[in-house]
Amino acid sequence: MTDHPSLLAALAAVVGDAHVLTAPDDIAPYVADWRGHYPGIARAVVRPANTAQVSEVVRLCAAAGVPLVPQGGNTGLVGGSTPDDSGREVVVSLGRMTALRRVDPLDNSIMLEAGCTVLAAQEAARACGKLFPLSLASEGSATIGGVLSTNAGGEQVLRYGNTRELALGLEVVLADGRVLDALTTLRKDNTGYDLKQLFISAEGTLGIVTAAAFKLYALPRHTVTGWVALSGPQAAVDLLAMLTDAVGERITAFELLGREALDQVLAHPLDGMRDPLGSGYPWAVLFDVSETSARLDPSEAVEEVLAEALERGLASDAALAASGRQAQEFWSLREHVPEAQRLQGPSLKHDISVPIASIPAFIEAADTALRRAMPGIRIVCFGHVGDGNLHYNQSKPAGMDDASFRARAPEIHDIVHGIAAGLHGSISAEHGIGRLKQDAFMRHKAPVALDLMVRVKAAFDPDGVFNPGRVLPPARPLSRS
């Protein structure tokens, strides 16, 4: 392995002394994840300013046998973007790479660097009268590179799709330092393998995405936001079907919230948050129906669907936002669920997906199994019903100490993942695998698929430079370390 000071000096010659961080206080924000579950020790944190610098950093570290951990906003939840505790890994932070390279309202496309936040992308699109539809609670700090690495979905996935569906092209630095220029805005390009798809959801294990091009859409002219009280998940699935029949692809978001999730938010209210319908109902749905044409207003169709749902007993009450501010208040309740659960103490998180029709069966089976295994466990269930993705989380029972609850985590994970897999679902819908879910991933993923993934990793990164031990177990240590 190249001498440590010599490598750091070489890296500093590329990015500047001020952007090779080694002091504990300087690297602290980069070596611990948001939930504090995966603190690590970095050899250094390197902050390149452009693609050429990323390329040279990769070349130097690969030649020295030093593994790299790509990092964006560090908002991940599965331990995929922080260093391990070996002290060998260098974190490559793309936080300086925030340039908006191009936005074209006629082409309906935007091209920006990987360190741009999702919020910055939204604002750049809106400035030219367009919509960048990816939207998630962490959008102020989550970066373009990060959401690509996990194929994030967010709240508007029902209408616009996951990050994968929005991406048009990528620029990627490969393990030998070469740059793959696939940064196109073409909608149709049938010239061989679509290589960009391999890097989306790869969690930084195949290359470092330095820039990306995305689709843009027309801004909504009318949006109807509703909050509906329901008896259970089956009623939510039925209401989704009714609304789809009435307004089709105009359903932008359709979110399910269990009572425990809502109560935890209301226990720590911010900005006067309150339950839109009072209390007493076990489940709620929050939805947006939007229309891009100024000549069409979906309000009447939505009201007719809700009236029918109330008449049929699917819903017990409903409220439509009377203003944009009230719509934001509805959404604030949904967006604060993760933070509210954090304030409640230790929690276990699951990001599963099942076929939409199987959502009620999953919740019933998992609820029953967990309450049998741990009486008093609090189940915080919420998520994107429209695409089958549930954030099915757990808080500790009242009176249980933190250590005892954490010690039961493997058992709880096995129950939840086993039920999701048994319903032909996925153990990870949009958060990725990282280190947190690797055991479950290796157990539930089909052997042929795992074999092909190992071969892809070996082809793109034969020496294990990028994010070793994330997603797939490391095949072998770097030969020069």
Side-chain angles (χ1 to χ4, degrees), residues 58-68 88-89 174-177 205-206 454-469 473-481:
V58 170
R59 189 189 66 77
L60 287 169
C61 289
V66 172
L68 297 172
R88 298 171 58 246
E89 297 179 335
L174 304 176
D176 58 5
T205 61
L206 301 181
V454 169
R455 294 181 184 218
V456 169
K457 172 68 172 174
F460 277 77
D461 185 17
D463 291 326
V465 173
F466 292 131
N467 245 1
R476 61 180 184 275
L478 290 177
S479 58
R480 293 170 298 282
S481 294

Side-chain angles (χ1 to χ4, degrees), residues 76-90:
L77 298 172
V78 295
S81 61
T82 52
D84 62 22
D85 58 5
S86 69
R88 298 171 58 246
E89 297 179 335
V90 167

Side-chain angles (χ1 to χ4, degrees), residues 29 157 184-185 190 292 301 364 403:
V157 65
T184 177
T185 62
N190 193 24
T292 59
E364 181 179 3

Side-chain angles (χ1 to χ4, degrees), residues 5 23 41 72 85 135 148 160 251 264 325 349 394 400 435:
I41 303 170
D85 58 5
S135 177
L148 284 162
Y160 299 104
I251 306 174
Q264 289 193 4
R325 178 176 179 178
K349 295 188 180 293
Q394 292 76 42
M400 177 178 281
R435 287 177 276 175

Side-chain angles (χ1 to χ4, degrees), residues 251-336:
I251 306 174
T252 305
F254 196 90
E255 301 283 304
L256 179 70
L257 293 94
R259 189 73 229 179
E260 180 66 35
L262 184 56
D263 285 345
Q264 289 193 4
V265 173
L266 295 174
H268 305 279
L270 300 172
D271 301 325
M273 288 189 296
R274 60 183 181 83
D275 190 326
L277 298 173
S279 59
Y281 56 93
W283 293 88
V285 156
L286 169 63
F287 67 81
D288 274 351
V289 172
S290 60
E291 173 56 61
T292 59
S293 171
R295 300 180 181 180
L296 300 174
D297 186 341
S299 301
E300 183 175 346
V302 171
E303 290 171 0
E304 289 176 356
V305 168
L306 293 180
E308 183 181 352
L310 290 165
E311 183 178 348
R312 290 172 51 184
L314 290 178
S316 59
D317 201 357
L320 295 178
S323 64
R325 178 176 179 178
Q326 190 173 38
Q328 290 175 358
E329 291 172 354
F330 287 4
W331 276 103
S332 185
L333 291 167
R334 161 64 179 86
E335 290 165 355
H336 279 88

Side-chain angles (χ1 to χ4, degrees), residues 347-373:
S347 63
L348 303 177
K349 295 188 180 293
H350 303 95
D351 166 47
I352 65 93
S353 64
V354 294
I356 294 171
S358 298
I359 287 175
F362 168 82
I363 293 174
E364 181 179 3
D367 282 6
T368 300
L370 291 182
R371 287 173 176 146
R372 184 184 301 121

